[in-house]
Amino acid sequence: MNLLFVADPLEAFKVYKDTTFSMMREAQRRGHRIAACEPRHITWRSGGLVHATVRQIVLTGSQDEWFNETETVAKPLRDFDAIVMRKDPPFDSEYFYATHLLEQAVREGAHVFNQPAALRDHPEKLAIMEFPQFVSPTLVTRDADEVRRFHAEHRDIILKPLDGMGGMGIFRVGADGLNLGSITETLNRDGATTIMVQRYVPEITQGDKRVLVIDGKPVPFSLARIPQGSEIRGNLAAGGKGVAQPLSKRDYEIAEAIGPVLAKRGLLLVGLDVIGDYLTEINVTSPTCFQEITQQAGFDVPAMFIDALEAAVA
């Protein structure tokens, strides 16, 4: 196959842990050709096809100079056998516009994973609303009074922005309510921005589990991202420690209920975040943890993904 990865700049990859890199490595091992571009390189002109200026690359096997660029060429997106959309959040206006360009490419015959319309329809914080049976008490609002009432009911809460990633902007407010007003004002920008508030789940001390679902099927191991020191955030970007572990019965219950539903909508790869028994987020833009699970548990996650990608375009 001739594969295109739409991602962040290649020079910024941390290949020792990067999931997109692990996908590329497995694809090249199987003999597939690899190209890459950033969303800013995608263009459409009336009367023509969506195309992009792409970098054709070959992986070297080195940790430092990890790829060689063989050519840079402008190509219609439909000329690729598959396009893997791996641009990291935030899901801002430019990301939104990129999904529309990719959706036009789909109309022209391109195969894009995850499908652009599905990316737009499943914002990573709000997608959990469809599955309330798995969610801890949660509030979505921009109203500070609603936040105060939620805190009065649950006493120990987490507040976070809807467009954050990597643990950015997450706050915990305990029973004393200390700084609740100022935190709310900061996150909701005095009522201008919608935020999410959730009851604190004490099982976070055992890890915020990333449960990967590929083509509707759960990877049998999660990565529990365990907060360190005085942190409440388990995110690896916030210093959490990643520990691979077999899925629990509850993990399977959640993944097997949600995975097939999302797969039918064109979400080939999904990352469910589970704390204790509760679903907290559904990640669809660029779910990670492939390398950590593969290295610690011995289960080849990139191989499972490329298997699913090959099947999807067969």
Side-chain angles (χ1 to χ4, degrees):
M1 290 195 301
N2 195 10
L3 303 180
L4 173 63
F5 289 84
V6 181
D8 289 305
L10 299 178
E11 290 76 11
F13 278 31
K14 297 177 181 177
V15 297
Y16 67 92
K17 67 174 184 176
D18 192 276
T19 288
T20 305
F21 167 76
S22 75
M23 294 174 174
M24 292 177 171
R25 182 173 56 192
E26 177 62 18
Q28 179 173 287
R29 188 188 68 78
R30 299 184 186 203
H32 302 312
R33 298 184 68 212
I34 301 167
C37 74
E38 300 168 42
R40 65 190 178 95
H41 297 134
I42 302 173
T43 302
W44 176 81
R45 184 172 180 174
S46 59
L49 301 172
V50 177
H51 67 277
T53 301
V54 306
R55 307 166 74 179
Q56 202 73 43
I57 64 171
V58 176
L59 277 58
T60 65
S62 168
Q63 287 282 313
D64 298 319
E65 302 295 327
W66 64 273
F67 71 93
N68 288 327
E69 185 173 334
T70 59
E71 65 174 338
T72 302
V73 61
K75 295 183 65 172
L77 295 192
R78 74 176 186 182
D79 286 359
F80 291 93
D81 296 297
I83 299 164
V84 183
M85 177 53 162
R86 289 288 300 173
K87 175 69 181 72
D88 282 345
F91 196 110
D92 55 14
S93 295
E94 288 303 321
Y95 192 107
F96 179 78
Y97 303 148
T99 66
H100 279 287
L101 287 167
L102 290 170
E103 190 168 8
Q104 175 60 24
V106 170
R107 287 191 284 267
E108 297 165 0
H111 302 283
V112 181
F113 307 92
N114 286 329
Q115 287 188 12
L119 289 173
R120 289 198 303 275
D121 287 346
H122 297 83
E124 299 188 322
K125 302 289 193 299
L126 296 179
I128 66 172
M129 293 191 298
E130 185 177 353
F131 307 99
Q133 69 271 35
F134 300 123
V135 176
S136 66
T138 297
L139 170 70
V140 178
T141 187
R142 65 171 70 180
D143 188 328
D145 290 336
E146 287 285 349
V147 175
R148 282 192 286 271
R149 284 191 284 270
F150 189 87
H151 175 262
E153 179 180 357
H154 296 289
R155 308 301 294 164
D156 199 351
I157 63 173
I158 295 290
L159 303 92
K160 54 188 174 182
L162 294 179
D163 59 354
M165 62 169 289
M168 180 185 68
I170 293 178
F171 294 89
R172 178 184 178 185
V173 176
D176 59 8
L178 188 64
N179 288 328
L180 177 60
S182 61
I183 290 170
T184 302
E185 290 166 9
T186 298
L187 291 179
N188 79 347
R189 299 178 186 175
D190 290 322
T193 301
T194 302
I195 64 173
M196 177 171 279
V197 191
Q198 295 177 308
R199 186 180 69 188
Y200 175 73
V201 180
E203 287 85 356
I204 183 61
T205 57
Q206 296 152 33
D208 180 354
K209 294 175 286 186
R210 168 58 53 82
V211 177
L212 295 168
V213 182
I214 298 174
D215 194 23
K217 304 174 186 66
V219 172
F221 295 88
S222 70
L223 191 77
R225 297 158 298 172
I226 302 171
Q228 300 297 293
S230 60
E231 267 290 353
I232 61 165
R233 301 171 297 173
N235 310 75
L236 300 182
K241 178 182 179 182
V243 178
Q245 59 188 36
L247 297 193
S248 69
K249 181 179 178 180
R250 177 65 167 177
D251 295 337
Y252 272 113
E253 180 185 358
I254 294 171
E256 289 172 348
I258 295 174
V261 174
L262 299 185
K264 288 179 182 177
R265 298 174 185 170
L267 294 169
L268 187 69
L269 173 62
V270 172
L272 307 176
D273 287 350
V274 179
I275 301 176
D277 288 337
Y278 298 106
L279 175 71
T280 61
E281 291 186 20
I282 299 176
N283 297 271
V284 300
T285 52
S286 58
T288 59
C289 301
F290 276 33
Q291 293 207 58
E292 294 89 345
I293 292 172
T294 299
Q295 290 163 6
Q296 293 184 37
F299 183 88
D300 197 333
V301 186
M304 181 177 175
F305 176 77
I306 298 298
D307 283 345
L309 187 65
E310 290 172 341
V313 298

